């Protein structure tokens, strides 16, 4: 056991990769990997294979694992949620320990579902799309002990119905809970919904609010497992036809669709957009039905979806919108789609309507004034718009920040060829300093696009290359590279022969998000587009 851990640590250090970075790439909890490196946990052949791939050591780590565990039989990784035992009897598949009441012990406390690797029967091919818990094959197998070396074979597990957990479907006095869901979260949600009407709904709205509020602060590859684990837990506890829980479920589906699109899993993203809309339409709230369509229309531009179809979504979102922030989100999507369609009059009217709607919106994240800047890269004023950004984060995808109107206007003006209008709008937006890393980088690339469109190719490419080089890999997204591609597309004539153009094109081919592992081999791995 120790020999494999030692070699894993040496290989990771030789690759100049931190423990957290490796954990993110292979889809494991970093504390579990730390225990493997110190010989406290055995790891698995599957883990060794993933680490070989990410560290470029194939097949050294797999061979080291085989040598350290010559009698092991292939199993799914055991660095995952496990069920407790008592002092007198082990837990076996299909049962719970006598008297255990399903509570975890200190020795086998479950690993966070955000980074577990289930390797269970819930895997699908990249083309099949996710199978929701309702459609997965249901079984009654419980998780085995980590020490037993026996992998579960069903994507569901059970706890005693008498434990007080009112989650999941009943099966002969036992409750089915989605595999990979942390036991402590099951217990917590059961307790949160146990006292008083509406408590469970309120708890789930709080959970979703946390995901939405932190959406801009967590890299997509780290965000996706947490979102899917919570949606699985919500589904396992939702009663059939529960309209109230359909709202947080739809919100989670929207966040998953956005995240998949950012990671370049476009086929999966499109399927999740459909699911988000269907779930939202089944709820009692027009709000989420509108927001789901607004975000699909906006993200669909980077996904290269049919523009007429995206316009229809934006129009539907506007029809469904009741509150000003919902109207604003729908108008933002509509304006950008109309600009992409080459409809300047309608696009700019949508921008004016957007400003009219958002002017009186009470918001603590609104821009508090425009910031003017003189260009450090060219003679045109405002060309360096906000390029020295701050780390303050933006608003929730389900809210609206006053600074967002300027960002939308800047994108629309750039798409219509109005570079001066774009500079002014982007300067106001970036001056607010409230964007997440990826959002700010995208807007800086729009500035670079405008510089190139104005004939200042050297300055535009310099800004674009700085953005792509300085932004940490975990924040690189499909949307970012779609925007960067427009910088290159704006280069014309003899400028195409510049060395900087070749260098920029090479950077565009890098796309680190395409090689980033999101729980590869886990239940999330099969959900890629």
């Amino acid at each position: 056991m120790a020999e494999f851990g030692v070699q894993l640590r040496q290989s990771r250090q030789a690759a100049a990769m931190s423990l957290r970075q490796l954990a993110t790439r292979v889809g494991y909890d970093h504390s579990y990997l730390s225990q493997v490196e110190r010989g406290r946990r055995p790891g698995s052949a599957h883990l060794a294979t993933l680490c070989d791939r990410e560290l470029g050591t194939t097949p050294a780590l797999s061979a080291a694992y085989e040598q350290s565990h010559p009698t092991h039989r292939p199993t799914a990784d055991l660095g995952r949620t496990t069920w407790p035992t008592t002092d007198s009897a082990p837990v076996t598949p299909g049962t719970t320990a006598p008297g255990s009441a399903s509570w975890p012990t200190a020795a086998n406390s479950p690993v966070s579902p955000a980074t577990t690797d289930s390797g269970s029967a819930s895997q699908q091919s990249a083309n099949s799309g996710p199978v929701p818990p309702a459609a997965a094959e249901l079984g009654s197998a419980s998780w085995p002990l980590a020490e037993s070396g026996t992998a579960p074979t069903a994507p569901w597990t059970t706890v005693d119905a008498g434990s007080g957990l009112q989650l999941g479907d009943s099966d002969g006095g036992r409750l089915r809970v989605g595999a990979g869901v942390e036991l402590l979260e099951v217990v917590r949600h059961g307790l949160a919904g146990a006292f008083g009407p509406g408590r469970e709904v309120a708890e789930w709205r709080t959970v979703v609010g946390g995901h939405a509020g932190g959406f801009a602060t967590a890299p997509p590859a780290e965000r996706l497992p947490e979102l899917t684990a919570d949606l699985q837990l919500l589904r396992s506890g939702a009663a059939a036809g529960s309209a109230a829980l359909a709202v947080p479920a739809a919100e989670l589906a929207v966040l998953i669709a956005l995240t998949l699109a950012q990671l370049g899993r476009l086929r999966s993203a499109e399927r999740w957009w459909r699911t988000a809309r269907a779930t939202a339409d089944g709820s009692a709230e027009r709000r989420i039905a509108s927001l789901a369509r607004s975000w699909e229309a906006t993200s669909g531009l980077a996904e290269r979806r049919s523009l007429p179809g995206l316009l229809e979504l934006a129009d539907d979102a506007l029809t469904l919108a009741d509150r000003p922030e919902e109207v604003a989100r729908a108008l933002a999507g509509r304006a950008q789609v109309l600009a992409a369609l080459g409809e300047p009059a309608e696009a700019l009217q949508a921008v004016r309507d957007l400003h009219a709607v958002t002017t009186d919106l009470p918001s603590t994240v609104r821009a508090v004034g425009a910031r003017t800047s003189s260009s450090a890269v060219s003679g045109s004023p405002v060309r360096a718009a906000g390029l020295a950004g701050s780390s303050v984060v933006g608003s929730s995808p389900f809210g609206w920040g006053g600074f967002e109107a300027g960002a939308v206007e800047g994108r629309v003006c750039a798409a219509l060829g109005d570079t001066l209008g774009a500079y002014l709008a982007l300067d106001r937006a970036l001056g607010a300093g409230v964007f997440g890393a990826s959002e700010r980088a995208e807007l800086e690339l729009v500035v670079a696009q405008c510089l190139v469109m104005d004939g200042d190719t050297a300055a535009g490419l310099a800004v674009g290359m700085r953005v792509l080089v300085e932004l940490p890999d975990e924040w690189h997204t499909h949307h970012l590279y779609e925007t960067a591609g427009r910088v290159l597309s704006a280069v014309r004539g003899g400028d195409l022969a510049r060395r900087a153009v070749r260098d920029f094109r090479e950077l565009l081919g890098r796309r680190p998000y395409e090689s980033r592992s999101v729980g590869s081999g886990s239940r999330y791995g099969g959900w890629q587009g």
Side-chain angles (χ1 to χ4, degrees):
M1 181 186 303
E3 292 80 358
F4 170 62
V6 169
Q7 186 160 342
L8 174 58
R9 182 175 63 254
Q10 291 173 345
S11 299
R12 176 180 59 78
Q13 292 172 344
M17 191 179 295
S18 71
L19 197 62
R20 286 183 180 273
Q21 286 174 323
L22 179 60
T24 298
R25 288 177 178 270
V26 300
Y28 281 70
D29 187 83
H30 73 276
S31 62
Y32 171 70
L33 289 188
S34 177
Q35 293 181 60
V36 172
E37 288 190 349
R38 288 180 286 123
R40 302 283 295 275
R41 298 291 292 271
S44 70
H46 182 62
L47 171 62
T49 300
L50 290 177
C51 291
D52 265 333
R53 185 191 67 193
E54 297 296 337
L55 298 174
T57 55
T58 306
L61 292 175
S62 296
Y65 181 82
E66 293 290 339
Q67 292 173 2
S68 300
H69 306 78
T71 60
H72 93 287
R73 59 180 180 273
T75 66
D77 180 69
L78 301 176
R80 62 167 93 201
T81 306
T82 58
W83 291 99
T85 184
T86 63
D87 295 334
S88 59
V91 176
T92 57
T95 67
T96 52
S100 68
S102 303
W103 290 93
T105 65
N108 63 9
S109 180
V111 178
S112 168
T115 48
T116 53
D117 184 339
S118 73
S120 70
S122 62
Q123 294 178 346
Q124 301 95 32
S125 69
N127 293 329
S128 65
V131 176
E137 180 180 354
L138 302 180
S140 59
S142 299
W143 287 106
L145 287 176
E147 290 79 5
S148 71
T150 303
T153 58
W156 294 81
T157 190
T158 59
V159 294
D160 289 333
S163 66
L165 301 181
Q166 301 303 311
L167 294 170
D169 302 313
S170 178
D171 181 15
R174 301 169 68 75
L175 297 171
R176 292 190 290 267
V177 178
V181 173
E182 185 179 357
L183 176 60
L184 289 177
E185 276 297 285
V186 175
V187 174
R188 188 180 72 80
H189 279 281
L191 183 62
F195 303 99
R199 292 292 178 86
E200 184 181 12
V201 175
E203 170 62 18
W204 274 113
R205 296 220 173 194
T206 300
V207 169
V208 175
H211 281 301
F215 195 79
T217 65
E222 296 179 10
R223 188 194 309 144
L224 183 60
E226 296 183 6
L227 289 168
T228 49
D230 272 338
L231 183 56
Q232 185 179 8
L233 179 57
L234 186 154
R235 170 59 184 86
S236 69
S242 175
L245 284 181
V247 175
E251 291 173 334
L252 284 173
V254 168
L255 296 179
I256 288 173
L258 273 172
T259 302
L260 286 167
Q262 290 175 338
L263 290 169
R265 274 68 162 170
L266 303 186
R267 286 176 295 175
S268 286
E270 187 171 0
R271 288 192 290 266
W272 273 94
W273 284 123
R274 290 198 301 269
T275 297
R277 272 188 280 120
T279 307
D281 292 347
S283 74
E285 287 193 13
R286 290 164 57 95
R287 176 189 68 88
I288 186 57
S290 174
L291 290 171
R293 287 163 170 80
S294 296
W295 274 115
E296 183 177 1
T298 303
S299 179
L301 290 168
E303 298 170 38
R304 301 191 182 186
R305 301 262 299 274
S306 164
L307 292 178
L310 296 180
L311 183 60
E312 182 178 352
L313 284 170
D315 288 342
D316 288 346
L318 194 57
T319 300
L320 290 165
D322 290 326
R323 290 179 284 194
E325 58 268 30
E326 299 157 24
V327 175
R329 189 66 67 192
L331 286 170
R334 189 171 193 274
Q336 293 176 80
V337 174
L338 285 168
L341 281 167
E343 299 289 347
E346 291 187 68
L348 293 175
Q349 182 59 53
V351 169
R352 288 191 289 271
D353 292 342
L354 173 61
H355 282 297
V357 167
T358 57
T359 297
D360 297 326
L361 268 182
S363 174
T364 58
V365 293
R366 288 192 55 187
V368 292
R371 177 174 64 89
T372 57
S373 59
S374 59
S375 175
V377 292
S378 176
S380 174
V382 216
R383 286 189 175 185
L387 296 182
S390 76
S391 59
V392 183
V393 297
S395 64
S396 156
F398 303 130
W400 181 265
F403 58 88
E404 293 186 76
V408 172
E409 183 179 0
R411 289 177 180 273
V412 168
C413 287
L416 296 175
D418 178 10
T419 57
L420 179 58
Y423 291 138
L424 294 171
L426 292 170
D427 188 51
R428 291 195 302 271
L430 288 166
V434 287
F435 290 97
S438 292
E439 295 172 292
R440 173 168 287 275
E442 285 185 46
L443 295 182
E444 291 173 1
L445 287 172
V446 177
V447 173
Q449 176 190 355
C450 290
L451 288 170
V452 175
M453 291 168 66
D454 277 348
D456 204 343
T457 302
L461 291 176
V463 171
M465 284 190 282
R466 182 191 62 75
V467 170
L468 294 178
V469 169
E470 292 183 1
L471 187 68
D473 280 0
E474 61 265 27
W475 292 105
H476 286 230
T477 66
H478 173 78
H479 296 65
L480 180 77
Y481 280 77
E482 282 294 299
T483 307
R486 289 193 284 274
V487 177
L488 189 61
S489 297
V491 179
R492 294 287 186 270
D495 284 340
L496 289 168
R498 289 175 178 266
R499 179 177 178 82
V501 172
R502 295 196 299 273
D503 292 342
F504 193 75
R505 185 175 286 112
E506 287 182 10
L507 278 177
L508 284 182
R510 184 167 169 264
R511 299 180 182 259
Y513 63 87
E514 290 185 343
S515 59
R516 175 167 288 277
S517 173
V518 187
S520 296
S522 73
R523 67 184 183 280
Y524 311 119
W527 293 14
Q528 301 176 5

